């Protein structure tokens, strides 16, 4: 009796093994069609990330070096990690009036968790997420960025 | 309560006696524990006498941190707890804030939320299947599971912008409408996964080696599952009916056709089968909803600064691992006075000692794999 059970066990073991190996064998024969890996650094030119991908916060500037940021600090308040720091200054307008504008839009990439709350909070859509993802640098200080370009100013008509 | 010093005082401990107890540490960086879980195990030969989890290695004090964040910001932090169910965690928090603010969520947003929840559950169970099988010694399933999970991650990436910690749900709905490709890609995924889930069963479920490793291992009776406060597949494997989606339906779950999966085995195999069947249920929920997303807004109009009225609010959701509860005490300000999260992992872990006692040390890995522990969820 023991021997019969023993042989039965062995046979059922072989059967279940064969079932699993059938799947593996199928993939071994169809490896070209079923290939799912990407050769990452080699496919850099063709790699397209979705437009909503949250890579880093950037401030788009137009051809006149103008942006849409009014310096309202809504994004700074919305950020849970104090990633954004806005330094404002007062511009003297041609008519002699003072107007609040951003001096520096400081963005700490090393603190950012890509939650998108700042982008949602901005009333003028002055900032957006870029699709970059290779953020490693040799020095931590390189991760602190000033998003407004030097000499840039606010676009006409944005309040 | 057990302390190591007491163990050291026990007769036979620490003596060069081959029959005495031996204390070994698994973790905090043991590869089989998927994260920084530290277990102090008392062994007699190969038999486990006691398992004591030590927590605190990745404690980030999330509950305290939430007290200084606004009602919009704190939701985001909860994706860092059970990172494999981040959508569902966010969902629970949104429900709690909406309850307090009495915000009506638009129908479209409700359906999108449930769709995202179920896709997250699928992705989480797929990861569990792959990683759990790998713990037990089958390496191939890991690659199969990641292939399907990648499809879900791509869908998430396209609609939410991130792959793991999405922060897509906001009080009042969802952040943005789904991507135009969303429906097409989910259909593609359903078609693909329907054939592959049978392959999962073929590869692993019927395998004798796997069956021998999980059958009858880590027994947890129905009574014990209730008294340890287990939820999710861990408790449902012992025959406890505890699916929040069925018992306290939220959003559109009450209108959906799906079964609560329970098994009566109480061992690792039962917990495994619950999750495998749950995947099929989730797939059917996604199938029911994907062509029936109502038109309309995805976000209710809310104020920029949310102020929860004074009071206490509680809401719960079913994550991939069990019941997730959010309890908010508000003093009427812009930040919560106190937040308490009831995470499923912690209670499920508390039953580990009971399940493993008397078993062999090799079985411990199988037991842990089938509870599906996510350490940041336990140690938050
Ligand atoms: S994405 Fe989130 S963390 Fe990053 S800057 Fe914006 S609000 Fe702050
Ligand atoms: S980026 Fe937008 S939210 Fe931030 S300061 Fe500028 S205008 Fe205000």
């Amino acid at each position: 009796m023991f021997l019969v059970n023993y042989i039965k066990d062995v046979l059922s073991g072989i059967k279940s093994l064969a079932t699993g190996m059938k799947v593996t064998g199928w993939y071994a024969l169809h490896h070209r069609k079923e290939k799912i890996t990407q050769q990452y650094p080699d496919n850099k030119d063709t790699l397209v990330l979705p437009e909503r991908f949250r890579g880093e916060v950037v401030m788009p500037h137009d051809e006149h070096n103008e942006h849409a940021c009014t310096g309202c600090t809504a994004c700074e308040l919305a950020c849970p990690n104090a990633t954004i720091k806005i330094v404002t200054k007062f511009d003297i307008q041609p008519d002699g009036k003072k107007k609040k504008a951003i001096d520096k839009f400081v963005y700490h990439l090393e603190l950012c968790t890509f939650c998108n709350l700042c982008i949602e909070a901005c009333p003028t859509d002055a900032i957006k997420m870029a699709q970059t993802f290779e953020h490693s640098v040799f020095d931590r200080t390189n991760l602190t960025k000033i998003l407004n370009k030097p000499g840039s100013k606010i676009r006409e008509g944005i309040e | 309560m057990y302390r190591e010093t007491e163990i050291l005082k026990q007769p036979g401990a620490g003596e060069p006696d081959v029959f005495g107890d031996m204390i070994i540490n698994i973790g905090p960086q043991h590869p089989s524990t998927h994260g920084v879980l530290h277990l102090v195990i008392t062994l007699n030969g190969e038999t486990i006498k006691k398992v004591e989890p030590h927590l605190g290695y990745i404690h980030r004090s999330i509950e305290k941190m939430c007290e200084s964040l606004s009602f919009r910001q704190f939701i985001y932090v909860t994706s860092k707890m059970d990172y494999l169910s981040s959508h569902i965690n966010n969902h629970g928090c949104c429900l709690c804030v909406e309850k307090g603010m009495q915000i009506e969520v638009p129908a479209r947003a409700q359906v999108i939320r449930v769709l995202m929840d179920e896709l997250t559950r699928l992705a989480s169970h797929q990861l569990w299947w792959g990683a759990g099988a790998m713990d037990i010694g089958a390496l191939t399933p890991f690659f199969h599971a990641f292939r399907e999970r990648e499809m879900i991650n791509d869908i998430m990436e396209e609609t939410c912008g991130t792959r793991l910690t999405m922060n897509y749900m906001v009080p009042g709905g969802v952040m943005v409408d789904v991507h135009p490709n969303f429906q097409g890609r989910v259909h593609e995924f359903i078609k693909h996964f329907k054939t592959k889930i049978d392959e999962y069963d073929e590869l692993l479920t019927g395998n004798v080696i796997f069956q021998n490793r999980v059958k009858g291992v880590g027994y947890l009776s129905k009574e014990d599952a209730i008294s340890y406060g287990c939820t999710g597949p861990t408790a449902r494997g012992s025959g406890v009916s505890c699916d929040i989606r069925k018992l306290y339906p939220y959003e559109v779950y009450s209108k959906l056709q799906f079964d609560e999966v329970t098994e009566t085995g109480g061992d690792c195999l039962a917990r495994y089968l619950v999750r495998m069947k749950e995947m099929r249920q989730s797939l059917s929920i996604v199938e029911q909803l994907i062509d029936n997303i109502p038109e309309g807004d995805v976000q209710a109009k809310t104020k920029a600064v949310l102020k929860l009225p004074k009071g206490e609010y509680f809401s719960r959701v079913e994550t991939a691992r069990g019941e997730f509860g959010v309890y908010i005490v508000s003093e009427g300000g812009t930040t919560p006075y106190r937040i308490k999260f009831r995470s499923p992992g912690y209670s499920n872990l508390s039953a580990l000692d009971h399940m493993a006692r008397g078993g062999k040390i090799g079985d411990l890995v199988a037991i842990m794999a089938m509870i599906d522990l996510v350490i940041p969820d336990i140690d938050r």
Side-chain angles (χ1 to χ4, degrees):
Chain A
M1 217 46 226
F2 169 77
L3 203 64
V4 175
N5 279 343
Y6 182 77
I7 292 170
K8 258 189 197 158
D9 269 1
V10 170
L11 286 180
S12 74
I14 290 173
K15 186 165 160 264
S16 87
L17 207 65
T19 320
M21 287 309 281
K22 204 174 73 202
V23 179
T24 310
W26 190 87
Y27 281 102
L29 295 176
H30 295 78
H31 65 282
R32 270 181 221 288
K33 194 175 136 262
E34 290 284 329
K35 195 169 86 178
I36 55 152
T37 46
Q38 297 181 356
Q39 299 299 325
Y40 157 61
D42 299 336
N43 69 349
K44 239 174 174 176
D45 304 329
T46 52
L47 187 67
V48 185
L49 287 166
E51 67 266 34
R52 289 184 191 171
F53 181 77
R54 297 173 191 165
E56 70 174 308
V57 176
V58 291
M59 184 182 282
H61 288 62
D62 63 9
E63 62 274 21
H64 308 300
N65 202 11
E66 287 173 340
H67 54 73
C69 176
T70 57
C72 68
T73 67
C75 50
E76 188 178 334
L77 293 172
C79 180
N81 316 318
T83 305
I84 295 172
K85 185 95 196 79
I86 286 162
V87 185
T88 51
K89 61 176 180 193
F90 284 99
D91 273 351
I92 311 290
Q93 300 283 97
D95 54 2
K97 272 195 201 134
K98 275 194 198 165
K99 194 174 173 223
K100 199 166 126 190
I102 53 164
D103 184 17
K104 276 188 202 136
F105 188 111
V106 187
Y107 170 60
H108 296 273
L109 179 57
E110 74 271 29
L111 297 179
C112 183
T113 46
F114 313 110
C115 64
N116 218 28
L117 289 173
C118 52
I119 317 275
E120 288 279 296
C122 180
T124 55
D125 289 336
I127 42 176
K128 69 179 184 80
M129 281 288 179
Q131 277 76 46
T132 51
F133 58 92
E134 289 161 319
H135 292 313
S136 46
V137 285
F138 282 106
D139 189 349
R140 191 154 58 100
T141 51
N142 294 348
L143 291 170
T144 301
K145 299 179 179 183
I146 312 279
L147 292 192
N148 54 326
K149 288 187 189 154
S152 64
K153 58 183 195 305
I154 182 165
R155 204 172 296 142
E156 282 298 315
I158 288 179
E159 286 305 323
Chain B
M1 189 66 199
Y2 139 88
R3 306 234 175 285
E4 287 111 286
T5 43
E6 283 167 24
I7 285 280
L8 289 173
K9 269 186 258 154
Q10 277 177 7
E15 285 166 27
D17 174 9
V18 281
F19 299 106
D21 290 350
M22 180 166 63
I23 301 169
I24 64 162
N25 291 285
I26 287 197
Q29 267 90 27
H30 195 271
S32 76
T33 60
H34 300 291
V36 274
L37 179 64
H38 179 194
L39 298 174
V40 180
I41 301 169
T42 314
L43 289 174
N44 188 332
E46 263 203 84
T47 312
I48 295 174
K49 286 181 80 180
K50 196 164 245 174
V51 179
E52 203 205 0
H54 276 211
L55 303 179
Y57 283 89
I58 43 164
H59 185 74
R60 292 146 296 166
S61 137
I62 282 187
E63 285 173 12
K64 191 74 190 164
M65 205 177 352
C66 288
E67 287 171 20
S68 63
L69 295 174
S70 80
F71 287 112
R72 274 184 199 286
Q73 291 169 342
F74 92 92
I75 292 171
Y76 161 73
V77 185
T78 57
S79 352
K80 308 277 186 214
M81 286 167 34
D82 182 353
Y83 47 81
L84 294 175
S85 312
S86 56
H87 262 310
I88 314 179
N89 285 356
N90 294 351
H91 195 165
C93 299
C94 286
L95 284 178
C96 199
V97 174
E98 280 152 12
K99 205 184 249 177
M101 299 287 295
Q102 292 174 348
I103 301 170
E104 189 68 36
V105 181
R108 184 176 174 85
Q110 290 196 12
V111 171
I112 294 175
R113 278 180 173 188
V114 171
L115 267 172
M116 288 301 182
D117 279 5
E118 292 309 317
L119 285 174
T120 311
R121 195 184 315 278
L122 276 169
S124 168
H125 281 355
Q126 281 162 355
L127 184 93
W128 154 82
W129 182 75
M134 193 175 67
D135 287 348
I136 290 173
L139 197 61
T140 322
F142 189 72
F143 299 101
H144 285 255
F146 265 66
R147 177 188 55 198
E148 271 80 61
R149 187 167 171 270
E150 192 64 22
M151 288 183 87
I152 297 186
N153 275 355
D154 281 347
I155 294 170
M156 295 290 181
E157 191 179 20
E158 204 170 49
T159 289
C160 318
T162 45
R163 298 163 68 85
L164 203 62
T165 53
M166 288 88 171
N167 192 36
Y168 180 61
M169 299 193 188
V170 292
V174 293
M175 207 176 245
V176 281
D177 203 354
V178 289
H179 195 272
N181 291 347
F182 179 73
Q183 274 170 315
R185 292 188 75 146
V186 172
H187 274 300
E188 212 175 280
F189 167 75
I190 294 173
K191 200 165 144 250
H192 176 82
F193 191 53
K194 270 205 168 150
T195 58
K196 297 301 175 196
I197 190 157
D198 296 332
E199 211 168 73
Y200 282 19
D201 278 338
E202 232 170 280
L203 258 181
L204 194 63
T205 313
N207 188 295
V208 262
I209 303 170
F210 175 74
Q211 292 254 342
N212 285 344
R213 293 257 355 229
V214 291
K215 209 183 255 175
V217 168
Y219 180 72
L220 183 71
S221 69
K222 187 173 177 177
E223 288 72 31
D224 287 331
I226 294 171
S227 58
Y228 276 108
C230 296
T231 48
T234 310
R236 287 200 283 278
S238 303
V240 184
S241 152
C242 60
D243 196 332
I244 305 296
R245 295 174 295 169
K246 274 278 182 217
L247 301 178
Y248 305 95
Y250 48 96
E251 309 285 25
V252 292
Y253 277 117
S254 51
K255 294 178 207 147
L256 294 171
Q257 298 287 321
F258 68 99
D259 300 328
E260 176 178 2
V261 184
T262 50
E263 289 276 336
T264 46
D267 56 357
C268 283
L269 183 66
R271 295 192 270 279
Y272 172 86
L273 291 176
V274 168
R275 283 203 174 82
M276 290 310 273
K277 287 181 188 161
E278 252 181 31
M279 278 203 249
R280 290 176 199 270
Q281 294 298 330
S282 292
L283 201 61
S284 109
I285 294 177
V286 173
E287 243 182 334
Q288 288 170 43
L289 286 177
I290 188 66
D291 286 324
N292 301 313
I293 308 179
E295 293 298 318
D297 285 343
V298 291
Q299 208 176 329
K301 287 263 175 299
T302 45
K303 292 205 193 80
V305 180
L306 298 177
K307 277 190 183 158
L308 232 61
K310 197 173 158 123
E312 298 174 9
Y313 309 97
F314 180 70
S315 71
R316 45 183 165 188
V317 287
E318 178 80 19
T319 75
R321 271 155 211 83
E323 175 186 340
F324 175 73
V326 188
Y327 175 66
I328 300 181
V329 181
S330 174
E331 294 277 271
T334 53
T335 54
Y337 175 74
R338 173 82 171 91
I339 280 197
K340 168 87 182 99
F341 297 117
R342 187 257 181 238
S343 72
Y346 193 84
S347 323
N348 290 351
L349 176 75
S350 68
L352 179 68
D353 178 39
H354 180 85
M355 290 184 209
R357 221 177 258 206
K360 297 277 182 278
I361 187 160
D363 293 340
L364 183 71
V365 180
I367 296 170
M368 284 203 294
M370 292 303 141
I371 312 180
D372 193 10
L373 298 171
V374 166
I375 315 304
D377 181 38
I378 296 161
D379 217 359
R380 48 189 187 271

